[in-house]
């Protein structure tokens, strides 16, 4: 949740944050954006399988070496933060839940404006949503 909320805060795009939380593959991403998400996901779930082929794939769709370094560092940093928090049993604070709920409400308004649907709330359907 924290990753999408960071995106929400940085971009101001509530609907995109909700779509990414649900499934980034269903978004209308450019080839370069899709490659970036694939790279970050692989680095997250299978870091030992990363190779120069993954870096070259990013280059092939237009990312510079500096861009690739930034993509790698941001993904690795968020993974590091999550693992530290998980390892210490840290709970998300109420503010993050409130911000996420407010952002979802704004995303629903944006979706109505543009004739789109908001994806299901993954936290509600998983039974892990905290009421604040």
């Amino acid at each position: 949740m924290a990753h999408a909320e960071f995106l929400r805060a940085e971009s101001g795009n509530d609907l995109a944050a909700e779509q990414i939380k649900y499934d980034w593959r269903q978004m209308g991403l450019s080839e370069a954006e899709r490659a970036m998400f694939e790279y970050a996901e692989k680095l997250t779930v299978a870091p030992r399988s990363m190779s120069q082929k993954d870096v070259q794939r990013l280059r092939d769709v237009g990312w510079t070496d500096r861009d690739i370094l930034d993509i790698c560092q941001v993904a690795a940093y968020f993974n590091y933060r999550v693992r530290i928090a998980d390892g210490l049993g840290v709970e998300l604070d109420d503010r993050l839940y409130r911000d996420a709920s407010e952002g979802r409400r704004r995303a629903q308004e944006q979706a109505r404006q543009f004739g789109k649907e908001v994806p299901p709330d993954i936290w509600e359907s998983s039974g892990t949503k905290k009421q604040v």
Side-chain angles (χ1 to χ4, degrees):
M1 179 186 337
H3 301 85
E5 295 313 310
F6 176 79
L7 171 69
R8 184 188 314 276
E10 288 298 307
S11 72
N13 190 332
D14 295 302
L15 186 54
E18 291 298 318
Q19 290 170 325
I20 286 172
K21 278 196 302 192
Y22 185 69
D23 186 0
W24 59 265
R25 290 167 195 82
Q26 294 183 22
M27 295 180 65
L29 300 174
S30 70
E31 185 179 8
E33 290 167 329
R34 180 170 290 281
M36 175 185 62
F37 274 92
E38 289 168 350
Y39 179 93
E41 182 176 69
K42 185 175 179 182
L43 184 59
T44 299
V45 300
R48 292 184 54 90
S49 69
M50 299 298 289
S51 71
Q52 276 296 312
K53 288 181 183 179
D54 300 300
V55 173
Q56 189 58 50
R57 166 81 173 115
L58 293 174
R59 287 182 184 128
D60 291 347
V61 296
W63 295 106
T64 66
D65 285 351
R66 175 57 200 232
D67 295 332
I68 295 167
L69 177 62
D70 289 345
I71 292 165
C72 185
Q73 287 179 326
V74 169
Y77 175 67
F78 271 97
N79 286 323
Y80 168 77
R81 286 183 49 193
V82 168
R83 278 157 184 75
I84 292 294
D86 287 348
L88 297 174
V90 174
E91 298 287 329
L92 297 175
D93 67 7
D94 290 345
R95 180 188 54 81
L96 187 60
Y97 284 103
R98 280 191 303 274
D99 291 351
S101 294
E102 178 60 23
R104 182 158 179 84
R105 186 193 61 71
R106 288 191 310 267
Q108 290 166 334
E109 290 173 12
Q110 288 175 343
R112 277 191 293 276
Q113 278 182 329
F114 298 112
K116 295 184 177 184
E117 289 188 31
V118 176
D121 185 334
I122 61 169
W123 303 108
E124 194 169 274
S125 62
S126 69
T128 59
K129 187 168 187 171
K130 182 177 179 179
Q131 301 298 318
V132 288

